[in-house]
Amino acid sequence: MAIRDKYDLEDLKNETEEFVFQELEKQLDAISDDDICKCQDCVLDMICLSLNQLPTHYRVSLMGTLYAKVESHELEDQISKVVADVIMKVSQNPGHA
Ligand SMILES: [Zn+2]
């Protein structure tokens, strides 16, 4: 039985992803486009590196749209630090010339 064929997995969401997207958006908006590269490759790198360092929080979203809200300040701080660190790492060593 193929789980993916039998069940609709669209509603399965990793909330950490939403938090990382929001935090990355906030932090990137605060940095001028002239200072760091914000291309597709670099931003995807930033997302991967951030998510690999953070705990996952999966849940089933039945509302379709997920209005993510960070419940723990500890997690909020952790995400903010990881994202800031990753932005610096990727912008100093982009995966392209
Ligand atoms: Zn780039």
Side-chain angles (χ1 to χ4, degrees):
M1 178 188 76
I3 292 274
R4 278 185 184 281
D5 294 338
K6 190 163 182 187
Y7 299 93
D8 178 6
L9 304 181
E10 283 294 299
D11 289 331
L12 190 63
K13 307 276 182 197
N14 177 7
E15 286 195 322
T16 307
E17 247 180 52
E18 286 302 318
F19 302 152
V20 164
F21 293 162
Q22 287 173 13
E23 186 61 31
L24 195 60
E25 193 180 310
K26 197 174 85 184
Q27 293 195 24
L28 284 179
D29 278 352
I31 305 170
S32 159
D33 288 4
D34 297 332
D35 291 339
I36 65 163
C37 181
K38 298 179 187 174
C39 76
Q40 166 87 16
D41 289 354
C42 287
V43 170
L44 280 185
D45 259 4
M46 289 170 191
I47 294 169
C48 283
L49 288 171
S50 299
L51 287 174
N52 283 340
Q53 290 179 59
L54 292 163
T56 51
H57 286 274
Y58 276 98
R59 72 177 186 90
V60 176
S61 160
L62 297 174
M63 297 174 296
T65 315
L66 185 73
Y67 294 100
K69 200 173 169 216
V70 181
E71 277 159 27
S72 131
H73 285 295
E74 206 176 307
L75 180 64
E76 199 173 9
D77 284 353
Q78 194 188 2
I79 290 172
S80 149
K81 281 193 194 106
V82 164
V83 166
D85 182 54
V86 158
I87 289 176
M88 198 151 74
K89 272 188 195 149
V90 172
S91 62
Q92 283 170 359
N93 284 298
H96 55 74

XYZ file of all heavy atoms in Angstrom:
773
model
N 0.850 -1.202 0.000
C 0.000 0.000 0.000
C 0.886 1.254 0.000
O 1.757 1.394 0.849
C -0.881 -0.014 1.247
C -1.762 1.210 1.342
S -2.631 1.312 2.939
C -1.336 1.849 4.024
N 0.655 2.103 -0.945
C 1.414 3.356 -0.970
C 0.628 4.417 -0.199
O -0.447 4.837 -0.619
C 1.646 3.812 -2.402
N 1.182 4.803 0.938
C 0.519 5.804 1.793
C 0.167 7.060 0.994
O -0.928 7.596 1.099
C 1.455 6.182 2.969
C 1.634 5.000 3.927
C 0.960 7.417 3.697
C 0.576 4.872 4.999
N 1.126 7.482 0.162
C 0.913 8.715 -0.601
C -0.256 8.618 -1.580
O -0.883 9.617 -1.896
C 2.176 9.073 -1.387
C 3.193 9.797 -0.553
C 4.376 10.235 -1.412
N 5.399 10.857 -0.596
C 5.329 12.118 -0.168
N 4.321 12.868 -0.512
N 6.288 12.607 0.593
N -0.484 7.389 -2.112
C -1.581 7.209 -3.063
C -2.919 7.055 -2.354
O -3.952 7.479 -2.841
C -1.329 5.957 -3.926
C -0.119 6.133 -4.828
O 0.246 7.303 -5.095
O 0.466 5.115 -5.238
N -2.870 6.427 -1.195
C -4.118 6.126 -0.493
C -4.646 7.300 0.323
O -5.846 7.453 0.482
C -3.899 4.912 0.410
C -5.193 4.392 0.967
C -5.055 2.992 1.508
C -6.436 2.547 1.992
N -6.475 1.319 2.684
N -3.731 8.124 0.860
C -4.155 9.223 1.726
C -3.728 10.570 1.165
O -2.715 10.676 0.487
C -3.551 9.051 3.121
C -3.973 7.775 3.801
C -3.197 6.624 3.691
C -5.159 7.720 4.525
C -3.590 5.436 4.301
C -5.563 6.537 5.130
C -4.779 5.390 5.017
O -5.176 4.242 5.609
N -4.516 11.583 1.490
C -4.171 12.942 1.093
C -3.266 13.524 2.178
O -3.685 13.727 3.321
C -5.454 13.768 0.973
C -5.162 15.208 0.600
O -3.992 15.536 0.323
O -6.109 16.013 0.583
N -2.026 13.773 1.836
C -1.063 14.244 2.836
C -0.852 15.758 2.763
O 0.034 16.302 3.408
C 0.276 13.509 2.658
C 0.189 11.976 2.705
C 1.552 11.357 2.535
C -0.451 11.491 3.992
N -1.685 16.417 1.968
C -1.554 17.857 1.780
C -1.670 18.666 3.077
O -1.083 19.720 3.198
C -2.641 18.361 0.814
C -2.356 18.070 -0.645
C -1.132 18.830 -1.149
O -1.183 20.067 -1.107
O -0.158 18.189 -1.551
N -2.468 18.143 4.007
C -2.716 18.893 5.233
C -1.654 18.686 6.306
O -1.746 19.238 7.385
C -4.090 18.527 5.805
C -5.209 19.082 4.940
O -5.004 20.129 4.297
O -6.284 18.466 4.894
N -0.680 17.857 5.984
C 0.394 17.616 6.938
C 1.397 18.773 6.843
O 1.980 19.007 5.789
C 1.077 16.300 6.580
C 2.068 15.728 7.571
C 1.390 15.393 8.890
C 2.715 14.483 6.984
N 1.534 19.497 7.934
C 2.401 20.677 7.907
C 3.442 20.639 9.007
O 3.136 20.252 10.128
C 1.557 21.957 8.123
C 0.391 22.111 7.190
C 0.812 22.722 5.879
C -0.408 22.894 4.991
N -0.080 23.102 3.596
N 4.624 21.091 8.673
C 5.657 21.278 9.679
C 5.619 22.755 10.066
O 6.023 23.623 9.294
C 7.019 20.903 9.087
C 8.157 21.145 10.055
O 7.943 21.472 11.217
N 9.362 20.982 9.562
N 5.114 23.038 11.246
C 4.971 24.438 11.672
C 6.303 25.168 11.706
O 6.357 26.372 11.485
C 4.336 24.503 13.066
C 2.866 24.183 13.054
C 2.179 24.609 14.342
O 2.800 24.470 15.409
O 1.055 25.082 14.267
N 7.379 24.443 12.006
C 8.695 25.088 12.053
C 8.995 25.761 10.715
O 9.595 26.828 10.667
C 9.789 24.060 12.414
O 9.420 23.397 13.604
C 11.133 24.722 12.604
N 8.538 25.131 9.628
C 8.728 25.703 8.299
C 8.112 27.092 8.209
O 8.753 28.038 7.747
C 8.036 24.806 7.264
C 8.963 24.105 6.327
C 8.168 23.245 5.343
O 7.234 23.752 4.695
O 8.491 22.060 5.249
N 6.874 27.208 8.661
C 6.189 28.506 8.624
C 6.935 29.549 9.443
O 7.087 30.694 9.027
C 4.757 28.382 9.171
C 3.802 27.689 8.224
C 3.708 28.387 6.867
O 3.657 29.631 6.821
O 3.701 27.670 5.852
N 7.389 29.125 10.641
C 8.111 30.068 11.503
C 9.401 30.535 10.833
O 9.764 31.709 10.900
C 8.468 29.422 12.858
C 7.283 28.909 13.632
C 7.416 27.845 14.505
C 6.042 29.505 13.504
C 6.330 27.363 15.239
C 4.938 29.033 14.218
C 5.094 27.959 15.085
N 10.093 29.590 10.194
C 11.349 29.931 9.526
C 11.074 30.883 8.352
O 11.788 31.870 8.161
C 12.114 28.663 9.076
C 13.205 28.988 8.062
C 12.725 27.960 10.284
N 10.015 30.620 7.581
C 9.670 31.507 6.461
C 9.407 32.924 6.969
O 9.911 33.900 6.420
C 8.424 31.015 5.706
C 8.621 29.709 4.970
C 7.528 28.952 4.571
C 9.890 29.243 4.661
C 7.693 27.753 3.885
C 10.063 28.040 3.984
C 8.963 27.296 3.599
N 8.615 33.024 8.039
C 8.272 34.341 8.583
C 9.507 35.071 9.095
O 9.688 36.265 8.848
C 7.267 34.199 9.743
C 5.871 33.837 9.275
C 4.935 33.539 10.445
O 5.237 33.826 11.596
N 3.789 32.939 10.143
N 10.352 34.341 9.824
C 11.535 34.954 10.417
C 12.528 35.369 9.330
O 13.107 36.450 9.376
C 12.173 33.967 11.412
C 13.331 34.530 12.199
C 12.962 35.730 13.068
O 11.813 35.814 13.537
O 13.841 36.600 13.259
N 12.702 34.502 8.341
C 13.624 34.789 7.248
C 13.152 36.023 6.471
O 13.949 36.898 6.130
C 13.698 33.571 6.319
C 14.841 33.521 5.314
C 16.200 33.549 5.988
C 14.737 32.264 4.448
N 11.853 36.095 6.233
C 11.276 37.237 5.530
C 11.556 38.527 6.297
O 12.015 39.522 5.731
C 9.765 37.010 5.410
C 9.069 37.942 4.437
C 7.568 37.634 4.384
O 7.202 36.457 4.213
O 6.782 38.584 4.510
N 11.331 38.468 7.608
C 11.534 39.638 8.465
C 12.998 40.079 8.434
O 13.302 41.258 8.231
C 11.109 39.282 9.900
C 10.885 40.466 10.794
C 10.333 40.036 12.142
C 11.454 39.638 13.093
N 10.941 39.122 14.394
N 13.907 39.112 8.617
C 15.325 39.454 8.685
C 15.883 39.881 7.323
O 16.696 40.798 7.252
C 16.135 38.287 9.262
C 15.790 38.033 10.731
C 16.813 37.153 11.430
O 17.971 37.072 11.033
N 16.390 36.492 12.498
N 15.429 39.228 6.253
C 15.928 39.604 4.922
C 15.434 40.994 4.525
O 16.145 41.761 3.888
C 15.513 38.567 3.868
C 16.296 37.246 3.856
C 15.764 36.323 2.773
C 17.789 37.461 3.682
N 14.192 41.307 4.926
C 13.633 42.633 4.632
C 14.447 43.738 5.286
O 14.496 44.867 4.796
C 12.183 42.730 5.112
C 11.204 42.123 4.110
O 11.644 41.783 2.991
O 10.013 41.984 4.447
N 15.066 43.401 6.423
C 15.827 44.398 7.167
C 17.241 44.602 6.603
O 17.953 45.508 7.022
C 15.906 43.992 8.637
N 17.630 43.756 5.640
C 18.966 43.864 5.044
C 18.821 44.358 3.610
O 17.972 43.868 2.866
C 19.687 42.489 5.048
C 19.735 41.898 6.457
C 21.110 42.624 4.480
C 20.220 40.448 6.495
N 19.643 45.321 3.225
C 19.564 45.868 1.875
C 19.956 44.820 0.830
O 20.853 44.007 1.056
C 20.497 47.082 1.770
O 20.806 47.316 0.422
N 19.275 44.845 -0.328
C 19.571 43.911 -1.426
C 21.016 44.056 -1.903
O 21.575 43.145 -2.497
C 18.641 44.169 -2.621
C 17.223 43.700 -2.326
O 16.959 43.264 -1.196
O 16.372 43.789 -3.237
N 21.620 45.224 -1.651
C 22.998 45.452 -2.089
C 24.002 44.752 -1.177
O 25.142 44.514 -1.564
C 23.320 46.954 -2.087
C 22.444 47.709 -3.074
O 22.013 47.096 -4.073
O 22.186 48.905 -2.835
N 23.585 44.448 0.037
C 24.514 43.880 1.007
C 24.657 42.372 0.904
O 25.731 41.832 1.150
C 24.103 44.262 2.429
C 24.308 45.746 2.684
O 25.112 46.359 1.949
O 23.660 46.285 3.593
N 23.567 41.657 0.593
C 23.667 40.205 0.477
C 22.872 39.715 -0.733
O 21.984 40.398 -1.224
C 23.166 39.444 1.744
C 21.672 39.658 1.950
C 23.950 39.826 2.983
C 21.072 38.633 2.906
N 23.238 38.513 -1.207
C 22.530 37.912 -2.331
C 21.243 37.257 -1.823
O 21.262 36.488 -0.868
C 23.419 36.876 -3.006
S 22.619 36.113 -4.429
N 20.127 37.604 -2.468
C 18.839 37.025 -2.070
C 18.244 36.221 -3.233
O 17.034 36.197 -3.434
C 17.860 38.127 -1.650
C 18.301 38.929 -0.444
C 17.295 40.024 -0.102
C 17.807 40.936 0.996
N 16.906 42.086 1.251
N 19.106 35.567 -4.011
C 18.613 34.793 -5.153
C 17.962 33.494 -4.680
O 18.095 33.107 -3.518
C 19.758 34.499 -6.137
S 20.877 33.199 -5.602
N 17.295 32.825 -5.583
C 16.608 31.554 -5.298
C 17.526 30.555 -4.590
O 17.171 29.974 -3.569
C 16.103 30.992 -6.639
C 15.649 29.554 -6.637
C 14.182 29.397 -6.243
O 13.425 30.357 -6.244
N 13.789 28.187 -5.914
N 18.740 30.345 -5.153
C 19.683 29.374 -4.589
C 20.054 29.721 -3.147
O 20.070 28.852 -2.273
C 20.975 29.331 -5.412
C 20.746 28.668 -6.766
O 19.631 28.154 -6.990
O 21.679 28.670 -7.588
N 20.380 30.978 -2.910
C 20.821 31.384 -1.575
C 19.688 31.277 -0.569
O 19.896 30.797 0.546
C 21.376 32.812 -1.605
S 22.992 32.899 -2.418
N 18.483 31.704 -0.957
C 17.369 31.665 -0.012
C 16.979 30.214 0.300
O 16.721 29.870 1.454
C 16.175 32.510 -0.520
C 14.930 32.270 0.324
C 16.545 33.993 -0.498
N 16.999 29.334 -0.717
C 16.694 27.920 -0.449
C 17.755 27.304 0.457
O 17.440 26.503 1.331
C 16.573 27.128 -1.756
C 15.233 27.260 -2.484
C 15.190 26.344 -3.693
C 14.059 26.932 -1.576
N 19.006 27.677 0.253
C 20.096 27.234 1.137
C 19.824 27.666 2.572
O 20.001 26.887 3.506
C 21.418 27.898 0.708
C 22.287 26.956 -0.104
O 21.823 25.833 -0.385
O 23.410 27.354 -0.460
N 19.412 28.923 2.721
C 19.142 29.462 4.063
C 18.013 28.682 4.728
O 18.076 28.355 5.917
C 18.750 30.948 3.975
C 19.891 31.871 3.602
S 19.268 33.535 3.252
C 20.736 34.288 2.528
N 16.974 28.357 3.957
C 15.832 27.613 4.504
C 16.274 26.206 4.924
O 15.974 25.753 6.038
C 14.669 27.553 3.487
C 14.100 28.954 3.261
C 13.569 26.597 3.965
C 13.135 29.068 2.092
N 17.011 25.510 4.059
C 17.471 24.145 4.373
C 18.345 24.137 5.612
O 18.133 23.329 6.521
C 18.289 23.569 3.220
S 17.288 23.031 1.854
N 19.336 25.008 5.635
C 20.263 25.031 6.767
C 19.541 25.357 8.071
O 19.830 24.775 9.109
C 21.382 26.055 6.526
C 22.421 25.671 5.461
C 23.333 26.852 5.156
C 23.254 24.489 5.940
N 18.581 26.268 8.010
C 17.832 26.624 9.226
C 17.000 25.447 9.699
O 17.040 25.077 10.876
C 16.896 27.810 8.959
O 17.622 28.942 8.567
N 16.238 24.844 8.774
C 15.341 23.750 9.167
C 16.101 22.541 9.693
O 15.619 21.852 10.590
C 14.444 23.341 7.993
C 13.336 24.341 7.648
C 12.602 23.914 6.391
C 12.351 24.469 8.813
N 17.299 22.296 9.171
C 18.078 21.147 9.632
C 18.598 21.328 11.057
O 18.999 20.369 11.692
C 19.247 20.870 8.683
C 18.773 20.174 7.419
O 17.708 19.584 7.395
N 19.569 20.239 6.368
N 18.602 22.555 11.531
C 19.103 22.800 12.888
C 17.988 22.939 13.907
O 18.243 23.091 15.096
C 19.898 24.110 12.914
C 21.208 24.039 12.173
C 21.923 25.380 12.233
O 22.226 25.878 13.305
N 22.172 25.960 11.088
N 16.754 22.945 13.435
C 15.624 23.205 14.336
C 14.745 21.964 14.503
O 14.673 21.133 13.605
C 14.788 24.367 13.778
C 15.482 25.733 13.815
C 14.785 26.710 12.886
C 15.512 26.276 15.230
N 14.070 21.864 15.651
C 13.164 20.717 15.836
C 11.950 20.849 14.918
O 11.518 21.966 14.610
C 12.741 20.836 17.306
C 12.949 22.267 17.659
C 14.065 22.776 16.800
N 11.429 19.724 14.465
C 10.224 19.772 13.622
C 8.991 19.790 14.529
O 9.010 19.259 15.630
C 10.139 18.537 12.704
O 10.302 17.378 13.517
C 11.211 18.552 11.648
N 7.938 20.450 14.038
C 6.647 20.467 14.751
C 5.556 20.181 13.750
O 4.977 21.106 13.181
C 6.411 21.831 15.415
C 7.240 22.057 16.627
N 6.857 21.637 17.873
C 8.456 22.627 16.777
C 7.795 21.948 18.748
N 8.788 22.545 18.105
N 5.318 18.889 13.535
C 4.296 18.525 12.561
C 2.907 18.564 13.169
O 2.718 18.222 14.340
C 4.551 17.120 12.000
C 5.530 17.159 10.860
C 6.868 16.869 11.056
C 5.101 17.545 9.583
C 7.773 16.940 10.020
C 6.005 17.608 8.541
C 7.337 17.312 8.754
O 8.217 17.387 7.729
N 1.952 19.014 12.365
C 0.558 18.904 12.775
C -0.313 18.845 11.533
O 0.150 19.128 10.429
C 0.142 20.055 13.684
C -0.001 21.392 12.999
C -0.493 22.402 14.040
N -0.794 23.696 13.441
C -1.989 24.015 12.972
N -2.984 23.156 13.012
N -2.196 25.203 12.455
N -1.563 18.467 11.731
C -2.485 18.390 10.607
C -3.282 19.682 10.577
O -3.931 20.048 11.548
C -3.431 17.179 10.736
C -4.451 17.184 9.606
C -2.631 15.895 10.729
N -3.191 20.380 9.467
C -3.914 21.633 9.315
C -5.162 21.384 8.484
O -5.086 21.079 7.308
C -3.027 22.654 8.604
O -3.837 23.674 8.058
N -6.316 21.509 9.120
C -7.557 21.248 8.387
C -8.135 22.520 7.787
O -9.107 22.489 7.067
C -8.590 20.587 9.312
C -8.150 19.215 9.843
C -9.145 18.687 10.856
C -7.996 18.212 8.704
N -7.495 23.639 8.094
C -8.023 24.907 7.603
C -7.419 25.298 6.255
O -7.797 26.305 5.697
C -7.718 26.024 8.598
C -8.383 25.833 9.931
S -7.859 27.093 11.114
C -6.124 26.726 11.254
N -6.517 24.496 5.760
C -5.872 24.861 4.509
C -4.748 25.822 4.766
O -3.592 25.460 4.750
N -5.106 27.066 5.022
C -4.079 28.054 5.317
C -3.650 27.915 6.768
O -4.465 27.731 7.653
C -4.616 29.479 5.114
O -5.323 29.502 3.882
C -3.483 30.474 5.081
N -2.372 28.008 6.952
C -1.845 27.853 8.291
C -1.457 29.219 8.845
O -0.609 29.907 8.295
C -0.620 26.939 8.242
C -0.006 26.579 9.573
C -0.900 25.599 10.312
C 1.358 25.963 9.354
N -2.115 29.607 9.914
C -1.726 30.838 10.565
C -0.830 30.477 11.739
O -1.311 30.211 12.840
C -2.953 31.633 11.023
C -3.766 32.128 9.864
C -4.908 31.473 9.459
C -3.348 33.253 9.145
C -5.636 31.905 8.371
C -4.060 33.690 8.052
C -5.211 33.028 7.669
O -5.925 33.460 6.592
N 0.424 30.418 11.440
C 1.380 29.941 12.440
C 1.585 30.980 13.527
O 1.659 32.176 13.270
C 2.695 29.618 11.772
N 1.648 30.505 14.729
C 1.900 31.388 15.854
C 2.893 30.682 16.759
O 2.637 29.567 17.198
C 0.584 31.640 16.588
C 0.626 32.880 17.430
C -0.748 33.183 18.008
C -0.604 34.270 19.054
N -1.477 34.129 20.183
N 3.995 31.316 17.024
C 4.987 30.684 17.875
C 4.475 30.695 19.303
O 4.130 31.735 19.848
C 6.347 31.418 17.794
C 7.376 30.726 18.663
C 6.829 31.463 16.363
N 4.376 29.503 19.891
C 3.810 29.419 21.229
C 4.877 29.527 22.314
O 4.609 29.984 23.408
C 3.036 28.114 21.395
C 1.629 28.241 20.829
C 1.028 26.894 20.498
O 1.408 25.898 21.124
O 0.175 26.852 19.588
N 6.070 29.081 21.990
C 7.103 29.122 23.011
C 8.137 30.187 22.678
O 8.636 30.268 21.566
C 7.756 27.740 23.120
O 9.147 27.848 23.101
N 8.427 31.031 23.661
C 9.419 32.094 23.438
C 10.811 31.511 23.236
O 11.637 32.093 22.559
C 9.409 33.082 24.598
C 8.231 33.989 24.562
N 8.038 34.910 23.557
C 7.159 34.088 25.374
C 6.902 35.552 23.773
N 6.336 35.071 24.861
N 11.006 30.347 23.843
C 12.298 29.680 23.703
C 12.522 29.288 22.241
O 13.591 29.512 21.684
C 12.321 28.434 24.593
C 13.694 28.022 25.037
C 13.608 26.836 25.999
O 12.853 26.943 26.989
O 14.262 25.825 25.717
N 11.493 28.706 21.638
C 11.579 28.308 20.231
C 11.725 29.544 19.344
O 12.493 29.554 18.391
C 10.338 27.502 19.833
C 10.291 27.025 18.381
C 11.412 26.046 18.071
C 8.944 26.384 18.066
N 10.997 30.593 19.676
C 11.046 31.836 18.926
C 12.469 32.392 18.909
O 12.991 32.783 17.869
C 10.090 32.839 19.590
C 9.690 33.984 18.703
C 8.619 34.846 19.355
O 8.317 34.650 20.558
O 8.101 35.727 18.667
N 13.107 32.401 20.097
C 14.485 32.880 20.216
C 15.435 32.004 19.412
O 16.342 32.495 18.747
C 14.944 32.845 21.684
C 14.344 33.983 22.482
O 13.695 34.846 21.859
O 14.510 33.992 23.712
N 15.218 30.695 19.519
C 16.084 29.734 18.832
C 15.985 29.949 17.311
O 17.012 30.009 16.630
C 15.641 28.315 19.194
C 16.652 27.253 18.820
C 16.106 25.837 19.021
O 14.946 25.651 19.415
N 16.912 24.846 18.733
N 14.769 30.097 16.802
C 14.573 30.292 15.364
C 15.245 31.588 14.921
O 15.946 31.636 13.919
C 13.068 30.302 15.012
C 12.482 28.900 15.187
C 12.840 30.783 13.580
C 10.969 28.817 15.053
N 15.059 32.632 15.704
C 15.616 33.924 15.338
C 17.150 33.887 15.290
O 17.768 34.436 14.383
C 15.053 34.960 16.311
O 15.949 35.980 16.509
N 17.765 33.190 16.248
C 19.230 33.059 16.273
C 19.738 32.209 15.115
O 20.709 32.566 14.448
C 19.692 32.423 17.591
C 19.716 33.408 18.731
C 20.485 32.834 19.928
C 20.236 33.661 21.184
N 19.350 33.015 22.146
N 19.079 31.061 14.892
C 19.498 30.159 13.817
C 19.391 30.869 12.463
O 20.314 30.824 11.654
C 18.657 28.843 13.830
C 18.805 28.082 12.530
C 19.063 27.966 14.999
N 18.290 31.564 12.237
C 18.084 32.242 10.954
C 19.138 33.344 10.749
O 19.729 33.462 9.669
C 16.640 32.803 10.844
C 16.499 33.783 9.686
C 15.638 31.650 10.665
N 19.424 34.118 11.786
C 20.429 35.180 11.679
C 21.799 34.585 11.349
O 22.530 35.092 10.482
C 20.502 35.978 12.984
N 22.125 33.479 12.003
C 23.399 32.808 11.811
C 23.514 32.264 10.372
O 24.544 32.417 9.708
C 23.468 31.661 12.833
C 24.779 30.908 12.783
O 25.819 31.569 12.894
O 24.750 29.676 12.626
N 22.443 31.645 9.902
C 22.429 31.048 8.574
C 22.504 32.128 7.474
O 23.194 31.959 6.476
C 21.163 30.158 8.428
C 20.801 29.942 6.981
C 21.374 28.825 9.135
N 21.825 33.238 7.667
C 21.883 34.325 6.682
C 23.334 34.784 6.529
O 23.838 34.973 5.427
C 20.982 35.526 7.095
C 19.509 35.153 6.951
C 21.298 36.764 6.246
C 18.532 36.217 7.427
N 24.031 34.899 7.670
C 25.421 35.334 7.638
C 26.297 34.297 6.923
O 27.083 34.657 6.049
C 25.919 35.569 9.065
C 27.160 36.419 9.143
S 27.194 37.323 10.680
C 27.616 35.979 11.790
N 26.121 33.028 7.290
C 26.935 31.967 6.683
C 26.752 31.908 5.171
O 27.721 31.856 4.418
C 26.545 30.602 7.269
C 27.316 30.250 8.515
C 27.029 28.805 8.923
C 27.497 28.563 10.352
N 26.691 27.581 11.052
N 25.498 31.877 4.725
C 25.224 31.737 3.289
C 25.674 32.985 2.520
O 26.256 32.871 1.442
C 23.726 31.432 3.026
C 23.402 31.478 1.536
C 23.350 30.072 3.607
N 25.447 34.156 3.102
C 25.819 35.372 2.365
C 27.338 35.513 2.262
O 27.854 36.084 1.303
C 25.186 36.609 3.000
O 25.654 36.778 4.307
N 28.072 34.947 3.244
C 29.538 35.006 3.168
C 30.115 33.921 2.264
O 31.184 34.083 1.698
C 30.145 34.910 4.577
C 30.031 36.221 5.327
C 30.390 36.089 6.806
O 30.713 35.009 7.282
N 30.324 37.197 7.518
N 29.392 32.813 2.149
C 29.836 31.702 1.309
C 28.712 31.211 0.402
O 28.233 30.090 0.575
C 30.302 30.521 2.173
C 31.670 30.766 2.769
O 32.657 30.913 2.050
N 31.717 30.826 4.083
N 28.281 32.019 -0.569
C 27.179 31.579 -1.427
C 27.579 30.345 -2.235
O 28.755 30.151 -2.531
C 26.902 32.776 -2.336
C 28.085 33.669 -2.215
C 28.793 33.333 -0.938
N 26.595 29.498 -2.581
C 26.864 28.271 -3.325
C 27.108 28.522 -4.800
O 27.110 27.600 -5.595
N 27.294 29.786 -5.178
C 27.555 30.130 -6.582
C 28.612 31.220 -6.640
O 28.930 31.819 -5.619
C 26.265 30.605 -7.258
C 25.613 31.751 -6.519
N 26.098 33.031 -6.536
C 24.514 31.794 -5.710
C 25.321 33.812 -5.792
N 24.363 33.083 -5.268
N 29.113 31.474 -7.832
C 30.180 32.479 -7.979
C 29.611 33.892 -7.847
O 28.443 34.104 -8.142
C 30.860 32.331 -9.317
Zn 22.733 33.899 -4.462
